Amino acid sequence: MNITIKKSRDTDKRKTIWLPMEEDKLEEVCNELGVEMATEPNCYIESSIDKRFSNMLIDKNVNIDELNYLMKRFDGLSPREIEKFYAVSFAEETKTMADLINLSFNLHCYSLINNFSDFNKLGKDLYLTEKMAVATKELEELDGQSYAMGVIKNNKSAKVTPYGVLYKNSNDSIQVYIEKQFPPYGWKESMVII
């Protein structure tokens, strides 16, 4: 994703970069902008090609390493998962990069409905999101319409977002990133991970 960053809000020097990028290239960008590699917030996001992303991090100083890691996670998400990511971020009012990184690992805890045209398909999607894996026969035999109606009627966690109606399901979220080291994530293919 194209993102324009600056060292701080008050600096005129900016650079539009494509994230994610390799660490050596990221270091070159940081050197060019005078951004010190640290664990604290060290850059300011001025804009992004994706307005949803810009709105989520508007007026925020962030850590460039965390930003790059989050963009690596985005690289592995489907368009539907990215839409759900934005819906959850909006509904939960995520404030920090750590929250956003953890959210990227916990999308299975939410269901997003933005199309009510086929309740049978919708119910099966909701069921599969919550269970994460089911036998093909079980999914084929599921009355998706009844399941969807049950979720809509009985789930008190529903929140309306600009991306659709968001439901929290019974899956528990986990905190994968605690701002010390990034969770292992295979962004590029490699022979061995140590």
Side-chain angles (χ1 to χ4, degrees):
M1 174 183 314
N2 275 341
I3 299 173
T4 302
I5 61 169
K6 302 190 308 184
K7 181 176 178 178
S8 70
R9 181 187 319 202
D10 303 324
T11 316
D12 289 334
K13 193 172 185 181
R14 65 185 48 81
K15 185 162 181 80
T16 300
I17 57 175
W18 179 266
L19 290 176
M21 68 173 52
E22 299 287 344
E23 277 67 25
D24 58 334
K25 301 287 187 210
L26 186 62
E27 191 173 336
E28 288 175 19
V29 169
C30 288
N31 289 338
E32 187 178 323
L33 292 173
V35 172
E36 292 181 32
M37 296 306 275
T39 55
E40 295 83 35
N42 55 5
C43 73
Y44 176 78
I45 298 176
E46 186 175 76
S47 65
S48 168
I49 194 168
D50 187 337
K51 294 300 176 204
R52 300 170 300 178
F53 187 81
S54 294
N55 291 338
M56 185 175 66
L57 291 171
I58 199 159
D59 291 330
K60 296 260 185 172
N61 284 312
V62 300
N63 180 278
I64 196 162
D65 279 327
E66 290 178 332
L67 179 61
N68 194 39
Y69 185 83
L70 180 61
M71 291 300 95
K72 288 177 183 177
R73 293 283 302 146
F74 259 55
D75 235 15
L77 298 177
S78 70
R80 181 89 175 122
E81 288 171 317
I82 290 172
E83 193 169 31
K84 188 189 302 184
F85 179 90
Y86 287 129
V88 177
S89 177
F90 177 87
E92 301 292 334
E93 298 179 13
T94 52
K95 303 268 187 256
T96 67
M97 288 299 291
D99 291 341
L100 294 172
I101 290 170
N102 281 311
L103 171 57
S104 73
F105 285 96
N106 287 294
L107 294 174
H108 64 285
C109 300
Y110 300 90
S111 295
L112 179 64
I113 302 175
N114 53 12
N115 184 345
F116 292 89
S117 63
D118 183 348
F119 274 88
N120 186 49
K121 181 181 181 313
L122 174 61
K124 291 180 180 193
D125 288 346
L126 290 169
Y127 185 76
L128 188 57
T129 299
E130 185 161 359
K131 301 298 181 190
M132 294 189 288
V134 294
T136 304
K137 184 177 181 190
E138 179 182 352
L139 195 60
E140 287 172 356
E141 293 174 355
L142 176 73
D143 179 358
Q145 182 166 341
S146 295
Y147 188 83
M149 292 306 289
V151 169
I152 292 168
K153 287 179 183 177
N154 302 320
N155 191 316
K156 304 299 181 209
S157 71
K159 293 182 180 178
V160 177
T161 75
Y163 311 99
V165 181
L166 186 72
Y167 292 91
K168 173 84 174 87
N169 61 36
S170 65
N171 295 327
D172 293 325
S173 60
I174 54 173
Q175 185 172 359
V176 178
Y177 177 56
I178 53 173
E179 299 182 64
K180 291 191 184 215
Q181 65 185 43
F182 294 116
Y185 184 69
W187 175 53
K188 296 279 186 175
E189 287 191 31
S190 61
M191 294 286 288
V192 178
I193 297 176
I194 298 174

